[in-house]
Amino acid sequence: MAYSKSEFFNREDEQLADIAKALSHPARIAILKVLAARQTCICGEIVDELPLSQSTVSQHLKALKQANLIIGEIDGPRMCYCLNESICKKARSMLNSLFNKIKCC
Amino acid sequence: MAYSKSEFFNREDEQLADIAKALSHPARIAILKVLAARQTCICGEIVDELPLSQSTVSQHLKALKQANLIIGEIDGPRMCYCLNESICKKARSMLNSLFNKIKCC
DNA sequence: ATTGTATATCGCAAATATACGATAATAAAA
DNA sequence: TTTTATTATCGTATATTTGCGATATACAAT
């Protein structure tokens, strides 16, 4: 890539791209669905649901955390993850706003 | 990555991830917006709108084409790109369906 | 204090993505 | 037919992503 992409595109496009990037791996989609399906905020059961190692799942969780789509809280020796509803809503509305612009051709 | 991700996740998650991946770069978001903003389906003017070289823009167009989000038609010596409305709609509804599932915590 | 459980991080390898210039390919125009 | 314009592709360099095992860390339980 040679140099950073930033500075070249506007903030909105960058933000949207970041959200999309967080959603750009099936494992992360699956994680979000697991979190949504279980009423309680699940931690390591996610690992059991996915065909990936614990360390790899942890990485995907980190990516989702960095995108703010999920929140992790310490619960004794384990971690309790849950969806970040407000950011998810924002993500949804940003994506919808993009698709609203897409009508031409 | 060592080996292909496929076979491990369900089709829906893979499809969603592919759509998200197509949207995961600000240049590609910008391209979609340019196509949406101009009534006519523009070709190389896209290059002028972006802070990237012609070859790089061409690569991003290819990525959007492979995700089926845009369509390219030959128009004499130039290419006429336009949004693929139906696939965009499908993408939108798939993303909305994901976000509909996201309400818990 | 030691052990066990759960999770994050490190270190590595391989694959993919991003970017560019140079070149090829295509078609119109001269 | 040669030239010009437009776009795609190739080759290359670098960065990032993905994956895993191994290890570190944190806490609970014994």
Side-chain angles (χ1 to χ4, degrees):
Chain A
M1 210 200 304
Y3 44 78
S4 158
K5 71 187 181 183
S6 39
E7 311 296 341
F8 293 123
F9 299 99
N10 70 54
R11 255 175 179 275
E12 197 188 290
D13 292 352
E14 302 252 3
Q15 282 185 327
L16 248 179
D18 285 343
I19 290 167
K21 180 168 279 184
L23 301 176
S24 73
H25 194 287
R28 293 193 288 271
I29 301 278
I31 288 172
L32 293 178
K33 284 186 179 175
V34 169
L35 288 177
R38 312 215 179 192
Q39 59 282 58
T40 50
C41 301
I42 302 305
C43 40
E45 294 160 294
I46 299 166
V47 174
D48 298 331
E49 297 270 5
L50 298 189
L52 296 171
S53 74
Q54 178 267 321
S55 62
T56 301
V57 171
S58 191
Q59 276 184 130
H60 285 300
L61 286 167
K62 189 181 181 184
L64 289 169
K65 232 186 311 177
Q66 281 176 337
N68 253 307
L69 291 171
I70 67 173
I71 298 168
E73 280 182 19
I74 297 170
D75 169 27
R78 52 195 83 190
M79 282 294 282
C80 176
Y81 283 105
C82 63
L83 297 165
N84 187 342
E85 228 184 301
S86 67
I87 303 294
C88 287
K89 271 183 192 161
K90 193 188 168 192
R92 173 188 211 149
S93 82
M94 286 187 72
L95 283 164
N96 270 325
S97 146
L98 172 69
F99 282 113
N100 278 336
K101 291 186 185 119
I102 295 181
K103 291 236 174 91
C104 102
C105 201
Chain B
M1 211 202 303
Y3 44 79
S4 158
K5 71 187 179 180
S6 39
E7 311 296 340
F8 292 124
F9 300 99
N10 70 56
R11 255 174 179 274
E12 197 188 291
D13 292 352
E14 303 253 3
Q15 282 185 327
L16 247 179
D18 285 343
I19 291 166
K21 180 167 281 184
L23 301 176
S24 72
H25 194 288
R28 292 193 289 270
I29 300 278
I31 289 172
L32 292 178
K33 284 185 179 175
V34 169
L35 289 178
R38 312 215 179 191
Q39 58 283 59
T40 50
C41 302
I42 303 305
C43 42
E45 292 161 293
I46 299 166
V47 174
D48 298 332
E49 297 271 4
L50 298 189
L52 297 170
S53 73
Q54 178 268 321
S55 61
T56 301
V57 171
S58 191
Q59 277 185 129
H60 285 301
L61 287 167
K62 190 181 181 184
L64 289 169
K65 233 186 307 176
Q66 282 175 337
N68 253 306
L69 291 171
I70 67 172
I71 297 169
E73 280 182 19
I74 297 170
D75 170 25
R78 49 195 85 188
M79 283 293 283
C80 177
Y81 284 104
C82 63
L83 296 166
N84 186 342
E85 228 185 302
S86 66
I87 303 294
C88 287
K89 271 183 191 162
K90 192 188 168 191
R92 176 190 209 148
S93 82
M94 286 186 71
L95 283 164
N96 270 326
S97 147
L98 172 69
F99 283 114
N100 278 336
K101 293 189 183 116
I102 294 180
K103 289 236 174 94
C104 103
C105 204

